[in-house]
Amino acid sequence: MNGSFVVHIFYSDGGPPESGSQSIDALSVSWLSICHDLLVGRLVANGKTCFDIAITLGANTDQDVLTSTYFRKKLDDYVNSSGNALSQSAFDTIDAAATNRCVLLIDNCVSDVDDEQKHALIQIGYHLVAAYYEYTSQQ
């Protein structure tokens, strides 16, 4: 599948997200076929939620709005529990997600999961996202 998707990664400091894009062509065809029929909201290693994700199609549907709203509340709770507040940039990015196909991701900064495992989790997550986008484009 050609294309890419945007990824916005948020942290507990409430600041602007780190943003980038992931090329679907750069992902493994084998993993895409495995992930094709799966949906995921949390990426967990060793019983610890390392990442929370929300996927929007960018069509401004009720589902996109609800997904963005749910993610905003989850992130706001996470940031507030760390004694911080969400930045306006973070709010703006989340609000724009309903009309811009993207992945919103919270990095829970789990310290007792090594970076190699986290990297593998994020790669599985990207494959799941790409498979979801491919699936929804065929509907």
Side-chain angles (χ1 to χ4, degrees):
M1 177 182 178
N2 294 325
S4 64
F5 53 89
V6 175
V7 179
H8 301 293
I9 303 172
F10 296 85
Y11 298 93
S12 66
D13 66 1
E18 290 181 14
S19 300
S21 66
Q22 174 63 53
S23 168
I24 294 172
D25 290 336
L27 297 173
S28 161
V29 173
S30 297
W31 274 105
L32 285 172
S33 66
I34 291 169
C35 297
H36 190 270
D37 292 323
L38 300 176
L39 294 177
V40 118
R42 290 185 170 170
L43 301 173
V44 179
N46 300 327
K48 308 282 183 177
T49 300
C50 295
F51 306 100
D52 289 285
I53 63 172
I55 305 166
T56 65
L57 295 176
N60 205 27
T61 61
D62 289 343
Q63 185 61 51
D64 282 337
V65 172
L66 290 171
T67 297
S68 298
T69 302
Y70 173 80
F71 183 84
R72 182 177 180 162
K73 168 95 172 89
K74 184 156 191 64
L75 179 63
D76 197 37
D77 290 346
Y78 175 60
V79 168
N80 287 333
S81 72
S82 297
N84 297 306
L86 279 177
S87 67
Q88 188 59 50
S89 175
F91 281 126
D92 293 344
T93 300
I94 296 167
D95 289 344
T99 56
N100 295 289
R101 181 172 98 155
C102 67
V103 176
L104 304 170
L105 187 142
I106 298 171
D107 184 339
N108 292 301
C109 299
V110 176
S111 61
D112 54 349
V113 174
D114 67 50
D115 288 342
E116 187 174 306
Q117 288 177 308
K118 288 180 188 177
H119 180 74
L121 265 184
I122 220 50
Q123 288 303 310
I124 290 170
Y126 288 166
H127 284 83
L128 288 168
V129 169
Y132 177 72
Y133 284 141
E134 182 178 73
Y135 175 78
T136 58
S137 71
Q138 296 172 5
Q139 299 301 314

